[in-house]
Amino acid sequence: MAVKDSASAHAKRLRKKDASSSSSIPKLLNNPKGTMALALLFIDSLLVSIIIAYVPYTKIDWDAYMSQVSGFLGGERDYKNLKGDTGPLVYPAGFLYIYSAIQYVTGGLVFPAQILFGILYIVNLGIVLLIYLQTDVLPWWGLSLICLSKRVHSIFVLRLFNDCFAMTLLHAAMASILYQRWHLGLIIFSAAVSIKMNVLLFAPPLFILMLKGMNISGVISALASAALVQIVLGLPFLISYPIEYISQAFNLGRVFIHFWSVNFKFIPEPIFVSKEFAVSLLIAHLVLLAAFAHYKWCKHEGGLFNFLSSRIKSCLSTSSSSWPKTLKKECISTACLTCCGELLSLHCFVCFCL
């Protein structure tokens, strides 16, 4: 009898799941935002195809990427010897694995790589639209603003930068965290860092969200998972030339070339490369982080210091704690996306100019 009841309950669950999945498409189409998102994906797919077909490719880093990958595939493990037209390799090991796969698929040719990056752009756009649909922070017409960036289209399909993979993984990590998949989100986040280190600039709000949404053991295990990803990916280099790998892939002393600057082109080059300018940007960055953390991210907890104090007390207390909490999706997206806006305003390089 118990077996029959169990089988019947299982059958009901399957029917319910099938019914919900079969009704998901009409539900999506009846939702103005869902319909708008699908239309934007289709229209932007056409736009990306037109850009690839008719807009000349901008040669900047592709040849350097391929030279660095060729050295890696040739057996070189000393990061100081992995060089290209733009200088030595300055990205972590995940970059090499990604672009080695791209070289294998495309043969190192630009046009098939543009097609691959065009697909990646649509994947990234889909993830970003999903985040906004889940958080419900934009009106349906506001979703179109996501597709209007000329620079983003250029970075993806005309320049083929590693930022494309790094940011797509970052957005995937955000989407995972929206569904309370913290460990998966941290693993994906770490994979993004392994492609380009500036993804670490999103770590402060992410860490605060972890303290809000996880207990201490969960925070420690999630951070350990993220660290393990870095160790595993960098293992071939950590075994052979550990100092060279860490100093090159996670170089905090690198100075950017003024010629390639976008947001700070108006600043004279001597000032741009100076230590004083870097320190001033760092101070501005830290002040903005503290302001956002205190007045925005921890607003409902009474500010940053009150939140940290209560969190420490909850760890020391033996009584039942109010943590972990299930965070609202709007809270998660607000923390990450306001951090994104702040970082873009500082050209995403403050911490790399030290």
Side-chain angles (χ1 to χ4, degrees):
M1 186 67 179
V3 175
K4 289 184 178 180
D5 291 342
S6 177
S8 176
H10 181 65
K12 287 181 180 179
R13 285 196 298 268
L14 287 177
R15 286 195 297 270
K16 185 177 180 180
K17 184 177 181 180
D18 292 339
S20 62
S21 61
S22 63
S23 63
S24 60
I25 295 179
K27 184 178 179 180
L28 179 64
L29 293 176
N30 290 330
N31 179 4
K33 291 184 180 180
T35 305
M36 185 67 172
L38 291 176
L40 288 173
L41 284 171
F42 176 74
I43 294 171
D44 221 346
S45 298
L46 296 179
L47 177 60
V48 167
S49 301
I50 293 172
I51 292 173
I52 294 174
Y54 295 103
V55 180
Y57 158 74
T58 307
K59 181 180 178 181
I60 298 180
D61 284 339
W62 177 257
D63 290 342
Y65 290 172
M66 293 298 101
S67 296
Q68 293 159 356
V69 163
S70 297
F72 166 65
L73 295 177
E76 182 60 67
R77 295 297 179 265
D78 186 345
Y79 245 61
K80 289 186 177 180
N81 294 330
L82 294 174
K83 300 179 180 180
D85 297 340
T86 57
L89 178 59
V90 294
Y91 305 122
F95 162 85
L96 286 174
Y97 302 137
I98 290 291
Y99 277 85
S100 294
I102 293 174
Q103 187 186 72
Y104 177 79
V105 172
T106 65
L109 300 177
V110 170
F111 182 69
Q114 286 183 283
I115 296 174
L116 182 62
F117 274 78
I119 296 172
L120 180 66
Y121 171 83
I122 298 302
V123 171
N124 178 66
L125 177 61
I127 296 173
V128 173
L129 289 172
L130 174 64
I131 292 172
Y132 278 103
L133 288 175
Q134 290 296 316
T135 53
D136 199 29
V137 295
L138 281 180
W140 65 269
W141 56 266
L143 296 176
S144 62
L145 300 176
I146 300 172
C147 305
L148 298 181
S149 172
K150 176 182 177 181
R151 187 177 178 186
V152 172
H153 286 89
S154 174
I155 288 173
F156 269 85
V157 296
L158 295 180
R159 302 188 179 185
L160 314 180
F161 287 163
N162 57 335
D163 305 70
C164 307
F165 284 94
M167 294 307 296
T168 300
L169 288 176
L170 173 66
H171 293 144
M174 288 177 57
S176 299
I177 293 171
L178 286 178
Y179 290 97
Q180 306 299 317
R181 301 292 188 266
W182 291 95
H183 285 76
L184 176 61
L186 262 291
I187 289 172
I188 299 175
F189 178 83
S190 184
V193 172
S194 76
I195 298 173
K196 193 164 186 178
M197 190 178 61
N198 65 350
V199 174
L200 278 175
L201 295 171
F202 290 83
L206 180 57
F207 183 65
I208 289 178
L209 290 173
M210 291 172 63
L211 290 177
K212 287 185 178 185
M214 307 175 73
N215 55 35
I216 292 301
S217 61
V219 172
I220 294 174
S221 63
L223 291 176
S225 300
L228 183 61
V229 170
Q230 294 299 321
I231 293 172
V232 170
L233 292 176
L235 196 59
F237 308 98
L238 291 172
I239 292 175
S240 304
Y241 298 92
I243 296 177
E244 288 79 1
Y245 174 68
I246 295 173
S247 63
Q248 290 291 117
F250 300 96
N251 182 7
L252 295 177
R254 185 160 60 98
V255 178
F256 278 76
I257 300 173
H258 182 262
F259 178 79
W260 297 116
S261 173
V262 177
N263 295 341
F264 290 115
K265 203 76 170 181
F266 63 94
I267 295 178
E269 184 174 1
I271 298 177
F272 180 85
V273 300
S274 68
K275 199 76 162 180
E276 293 76 13
F277 182 63
V279 172
S280 66
L281 285 178
L282 176 62
I283 293 173
H285 174 66
L286 294 176
V287 169
L288 285 172
L289 275 180
F292 270 94
H294 187 75
Y295 294 105
K296 193 69 176 178
W297 305 334
C298 300
K299 177 181 179 181
H300 299 293
E301 290 81 13
L304 174 63
F305 301 106
N306 187 56
F307 165 68
L308 293 177
S309 175
S310 61
R311 197 68 179 94
I312 293 172
K313 290 178 181 178
S314 71
C315 295
L316 299 176
S317 175
T318 55
S319 60
S320 59
S321 173
S322 58
W323 277 278
K325 296 179 179 179
T326 300
L327 301 181
K328 292 182 178 180
K329 294 179 178 180
E330 288 78 7
C331 174
I332 296 172
S333 64
T334 298
C336 292
L337 295 176
T338 53
C339 180
C340 176
E342 174 211 349
L343 299 176
L344 288 176
S345 70
L346 292 176
H347 200 217
C348 293
F349 74 71
V350 173
C351 291
F352 301 106
C353 294
L354 298 179

